[in-house]
Amino acid sequence: MSENLIIKGNSKKELYENLLPQIKALVECETDEIANMANISACLKDTFNFWWVGFYRVIDNELVLGPFQGPLACTRIRKGKGVCGSAWQNAETVIVPDVDEFPGHIACSSLSKSEIVVPLLNNGEVTAVLDIDSEKVSNFDETDKEFLEKLAALIS
Ligand code: SME
């Protein structure tokens, strides 16, 4: 396994295209979910310099904060609450261009302006969500959704 992340690409799509095989190689060598989530958070933060990148895991019918990169965050989120709880409830990716427009958004940081949350699915059940925040409005689009869903499938 390579210990160095190679960040290469002139567009978001190219960056993801170069990142995904590296993450695939990383997680193929490791069975521990926490270790993989920790490295994926670091790789996404390094590649895109997102404000906050991390995972919440479903434990005892709550989302519980897992490995992340960025400022401290709320530790528990109930089903249906906030962007993360909505992605969990509906088992689908949620893109929020402007967090101030999302009813019930849970503000861990006032600097976060847009967000994407991607569920990790195991036999149709959500086992965790990948949450990414940006300090720029409208920072996430269908390209992020496409590649982050592929990334989520690597560790689901
Ligand atoms: N904004 C999220 C809460 C988690 S933090 O962004 C890290 C939400 O509304 O679910």
Side-chain angles (χ1 to χ4, degrees), residues 29-95:
C29 301
E30 178 53 63
T31 55
D32 186 85
E33 179 186 59
I34 298 282
N36 286 332
M37 288 176 168
N39 263 340
I40 289 170
S41 301
C43 289
L44 286 168
K45 176 86 172 158
D46 262 2
T47 302
F48 296 103
N49 198 24
F50 292 130
W51 175 249
W52 195 94
V53 184
F55 291 86
Y56 283 88
R57 297 188 302 144
V58 176
I59 300 172
D60 294 337
N61 211 36
E62 268 187 319
L63 286 173
V64 181
L65 184 63
F68 71 95
Q69 295 269 318
L72 69 81
C74 58
T75 53
R76 288 173 188 267
I77 298 172
R78 279 179 287 138
K79 200 172 202 170
K81 299 292 175 192
V83 188
C84 293
S86 297
W88 175 21
Q89 186 166 53
N90 300 320
E92 60 186 31
T93 297
V94 181
I95 296 174

Side-chain angles (χ1 to χ4, degrees), residues 59-140:
I59 300 172
D60 294 337
N61 211 36
E62 268 187 319
L63 286 173
V64 181
L65 184 63
F68 71 95
Q69 295 269 318
L72 69 81
C74 58
T75 53
R76 288 173 188 267
I77 298 172
R78 279 179 287 138
K79 200 172 202 170
K81 299 292 175 192
V83 188
C84 293
S86 297
W88 175 21
Q89 186 166 53
N90 300 320
E92 60 186 31
T93 297
V94 181
I95 296 174
V96 180
D98 180 348
V99 296
D100 291 335
E101 303 291 322
F102 188 92
H105 169 256
I106 300 164
C108 294
S109 161
S110 60
L111 291 176
S112 171
K113 301 290 183 223
S114 59
E115 184 164 358
I116 185 168
V117 179
V118 179
L120 274 60
L121 299 162
N122 193 343
N123 293 324
E125 287 287 301
V126 177
T127 57
V129 299
L130 168 61
D131 179 17
I132 306 181
D133 289 47
S134 169
E135 71 276 47
K136 297 176 205 138
V137 173
S138 297
N139 202 29
F140 302 105

